[in-house]
Structures are given as C-alpha cells and as structure tokens.
Amino acid sequence: MLARVPPREFDGWVPAGIAPVNAADTTWLESVPVTIDSAGITEWYLEPDRVIGIDRKRVVVAYRSWAH
C-alpha cells in the first residue's frame, strides 16, 4: 500500500519503540498500482513480517506486510 494519510492520523503509522533504518528493500513498490511518488520516502521501519516507509514532508506512507 502507498497512500497519503490525513495529518492527524500520520503519527499512528510510525511504529512505537522501533528506530528507523536508512534503507530498505523497496522493489515491492514497483508493483503497487498508484500514482503517488515514493521517492520522498526516506524513513523506514522494519519489523518481522512488516515494513513501513514514511515521507513526513508529503504525509505519505508505504506499508507492506506478509505472513509466513
């Protein structure tokens, strides 16, 4: 999923207690059928079975989860 979120809901997408990493595997974004540019996503959070990318300036969230 790649979406602009309402500013009041934005902080809810940032995982509590997890430090951001500088980079993540973003190849999955190529298959997301949206017109939102993901180039501004520079803040990534990695958890088991989940990755969240944040663009604070444009209030954009990239989200991917999967099950084993």
Side-chain angles (χ1 to χ4, degrees):
M1 176 204 73
L2 183 62
R4 283 193 175 87
V5 297
R8 69 184 179 283
E9 296 176 15
F10 188 73
D11 287 339
W13 284 96
V14 179
I18 297 178
V21 296
N22 293 331
D25 176 10
T26 60
T27 55
W28 60 274
L29 284 171
E30 297 169 7
S31 66
V32 177
V34 296
T35 58
I36 298 170
D37 183 15
S38 62
I41 298 174
T42 58
E43 190 174 323
W44 291 96
Y45 296 88
L46 304 176
E47 296 179 303
D49 304 329
R50 186 164 82 153
V51 61
I52 301 168
I54 302 292
D55 177 345
R56 290 183 183 271
K57 183 176 180 180
R58 294 183 308 138
V59 196
V60 170
V61 173
Y63 177 88
R64 180 179 180 213
S65 67
W66 58 93
H68 290 276

